[in-house]
Amino acid sequence: MIISFEGIDGSGKSTQAKRLLDRLGASSLDVLYVREPGGTAVSERIRTLLLDPSLVMDPFAEMLLFSAARAQLVREKIRPFHEAGGIVICDRFFDSTVAYQGGGRQVADPDWLGDFQRVVTDGVVPDRTYLIRLDVATASQRLTERLGPGEAADRLESAGMAFFERVFNAYERLSASEPNRFVVINGQQSIDEVAAEVWADLLPTLPA
Ligand code: ADP
Ligand code: TYD
């Protein structure tokens, strides 16, 4: 089983992915947690490039780098673990590229980008995708609070409100287009309330 968490920066998605990891880890199930971009030696190197605030990167090149990191992660980790019967928790997956590079940066037609991502992942699609829906203003406030004194936002976090509004809207379109895969959760709730909604949805689908 493959589960992904999606949402704009600061929506609370990593908090929830880790909560789920703790909860599933306490059971006898085999669980793998991966975060994007990253998760393999090659993909972590690509992550360093992608998040470097000193680099001016062409948006199409950026899309290809996110995709390259993902191609490596799927083939090296996600697919083998999934095929061995494990549960994979993805803290972001290909929907992030459709939302950020398609919606946010507008590098390519989102439908084309969606098709391209099926090639990048060799057809690997999550069974369930939890979209944590939080408005841009609240998410941005949480991110500012998360930054330590003197700590700078990374290259993508510095992209601005209009960018994140486009990303938010792209996630809305994505979730509406695949209602069987996406579960949209109100991110204004407390951490416990969001986690409870995820758990209530997931529990009936877990292997015994
Ligand atoms: P993301 O992975 O979506 O960028 P995080 O999970 O890192 O977001 O959360 C961003 C910040 O908001 C963190 O400081 C986290 O502790 C806090 N946070 C997460 N979920 C909630 C919530 N439901 N209510 C209030 N604060 C939250
Ligand atoms: P990260 O620090 O992991 O952010 P978060 O805590 O919000 O998950 O940084 C990942 C950044 O990269 C984030 O701004 C989203 C962006 N991103 C894309 O633009 N496209 C992608 O395909 C992926 C996976 C992430």
Side-chain angles (χ1 to χ4, degrees):
M1 175 170 215
I2 301 176
I3 300 158
S4 62
F5 284 85
E6 294 284 352
I8 60 172
D9 293 54
S11 58
K13 128 197 80 49
S14 297
T15 303
Q16 293 302 324
K18 287 183 195 128
R19 273 285 182 107
L20 184 62
L21 173 67
D22 290 345
R23 194 148 197 183
L24 290 175
S27 69
S28 57
L29 300 165
D30 274 339
V31 190
L32 171 70
Y33 167 89
V34 288
R35 69 154 184 189
E36 283 219 9
T40 71
V42 168
S43 315
E44 288 291 336
R45 292 265 193 104
I46 298 174
R47 178 185 177 90
T48 309
L49 273 176
L50 280 166
L51 300 185
D52 186 343
S54 72
L55 293 178
V56 179
M57 196 178 294
D58 175 80
F60 200 83
E62 176 189 79
M63 186 278 286
L64 291 173
L65 281 177
F66 276 115
S67 302
R70 177 168 307 125
Q72 182 76 29
L73 179 65
V74 167
R75 287 160 182 80
E76 188 178 322
K77 294 254 176 89
I78 296 179
R79 194 167 46 197
F81 198 84
H82 177 237
E83 284 176 358
I87 299 181
V88 186
I89 301 176
C90 303
D91 190 346
R92 296 195 180 282
F93 200 34
F94 61 78
D95 297 303
S96 285
T97 300
V98 180
Y100 280 74
Q101 279 63 54
R105 300 254 195 253
Q106 300 174 303
V107 297
D109 171 61
D111 288 341
W112 177 84
L113 215 39
D115 291 345
F116 178 61
Q117 289 305 312
R118 295 297 195 270
V119 180
V120 168
T121 65
D122 203 15
V124 171
V125 176
D127 298 284
R128 263 284 189 271
T129 298
Y130 295 104
L131 173 61
I132 314 297
R133 180 194 275 148
L134 188 65
D135 63 281
V136 175
T138 312
S140 139
Q141 196 184 335
R142 284 188 192 169
L143 283 181
T144 310
E145 283 162 11
R146 186 176 67 178
L147 284 178
E151 217 183 326
D154 69 35
R155 204 173 57 81
L156 283 133
E157 282 171 1
S158 316
M161 298 286 264
F163 172 82
F164 284 106
E165 291 290 357
R166 289 198 297 277
V167 175
F168 179 95
N169 290 331
Y171 273 128
E172 293 296 301
R173 285 192 296 274
L174 271 172
S175 56
S177 72
E178 286 185 71
N180 292 333
R181 173 162 72 90
F182 275 89
V183 176
V184 183
I185 300 185
N186 174 9
Q188 294 279 2
Q189 303 176 95
S190 71
I191 293 175
D192 284 348
E193 284 168 333
V194 176
E197 269 198 43
V198 171
W199 190 246
D201 174 78
L202 191 64
L203 191 57
T205 69
L206 289 176

